[in-house]
Amino acid sequence: MRHGETEWSRAGRHTGRTDLPMTPEGEARAGSLAPLPAGRTFGLVLTSPLVRARRTAEPAGLTGAAPEPDLREWDYGGYEGVTTAEIRRARPGRDLWTDGVPPGREFPRETPGQVGGRADRVLSRLAGALDDGDVMLVARGHLLRVLTARRPGLPPADGRLFHLETGTLCRLSLEHGSPVVAEWNTRP
């Protein structure tokens, strides 16, 4: 589940470590997601440690959620708070997925491979929990896109193939023993 809208996500600003609250629309969308996980048994519910993810889980009815540091968003370094259009004006042809980000004054930065490593650690942690029911993750868009790519073994940069809207539910599953995307950007 991707967290609900913040002022920066609405404006298209890269929001990694800056801990912003959701907009009223984001809060409402989070609450509207409650019917989607209803009736499922969750062996584990994990959220990003940032408030926007925790505040999405609560109104969606996901109780007992534990913060997972590896679910925090990509550390955008020098691109924190900056839009893609602003970055491309300064660096034409720049691509987050292949070029990564420059270091910032406040935040160091992460490479696509480092984000993929965190996604792999989360996927390893989930393996045992799936025996006890479904697993729900509530986090930020780019991290969830990288995790989706890593699930079937794609490179982290292939997360660019999975556009993810705020306040939506996605479901990864298995078909004949192979990882598949079963639902994407689902809303009630």
Side-chain angles (χ1 to χ4, degrees):
M1 183 177 288
R2 182 174 175 198
H3 72 78
E5 175 191 81
T6 67
E7 289 294 336
W8 280 15
S9 65
R10 179 178 18 207
R13 297 191 175 283
H14 288 79
T15 317
R17 294 185 179 243
T18 304
D19 203 1
L20 298 172
M22 287 187 286
T23 63
E25 294 84 4
E27 292 274 353
R29 170 93 43 90
S32 77
L33 293 172
L36 297 175
R40 292 186 178 269
T41 301
F42 293 101
L44 184 63
V45 178
L46 300 174
T47 71
S48 159
L50 299 181
V51 70
R52 59 189 178 260
R54 292 192 320 267
R55 286 291 307 137
T56 296
E58 293 162 3
L62 300 168
T63 58
E68 168 53 59
D70 280 333
L71 284 177
R72 75 182 187 283
E73 180 57 304
W74 195 318
D75 183 338
Y76 295 121
Y79 291 155
E80 184 78 10
V82 181
T83 68
T84 298
E86 292 167 334
I87 294 164
R88 289 194 173 148
R89 276 196 297 277
R91 287 189 57 207
R94 165 265 177 206
D95 183 68
L96 167 81
W97 296 99
T98 54
D99 301 332
V101 298
R105 288 180 294 165
E106 188 175 349
F107 304 115
R109 77 173 169 159
E110 279 184 301
T111 65
Q114 288 170 316
V115 179
R118 287 195 292 112
D120 289 346
R121 287 193 300 269
V122 170
L123 290 168
S124 291
R125 180 174 178 190
L126 304 182
L130 289 169
D131 294 337
D132 298 325
D134 290 341
V135 171
M136 177 65 78
L137 306 176
V138 183
R140 181 76 171 88
H142 280 134
L143 181 277
L144 290 173
R145 292 168 68 180
V146 170
L147 186 135
T148 299
R150 295 301 301 142
R151 175 80 162 93
L154 299 172
D158 281 355
R160 71 184 183 284
L161 302 172
F162 303 99
H163 175 77
L164 185 54
E165 297 287 332
T166 56
T168 57
L169 182 83
C170 300
R171 188 167 58 90
L172 304 181
S173 188
L174 294 172
E175 182 177 46
H176 307 295
S178 296
V180 297
V181 176
E183 290 180 70
W184 199 254
N185 281 327
T186 303
R187 293 186 174 135

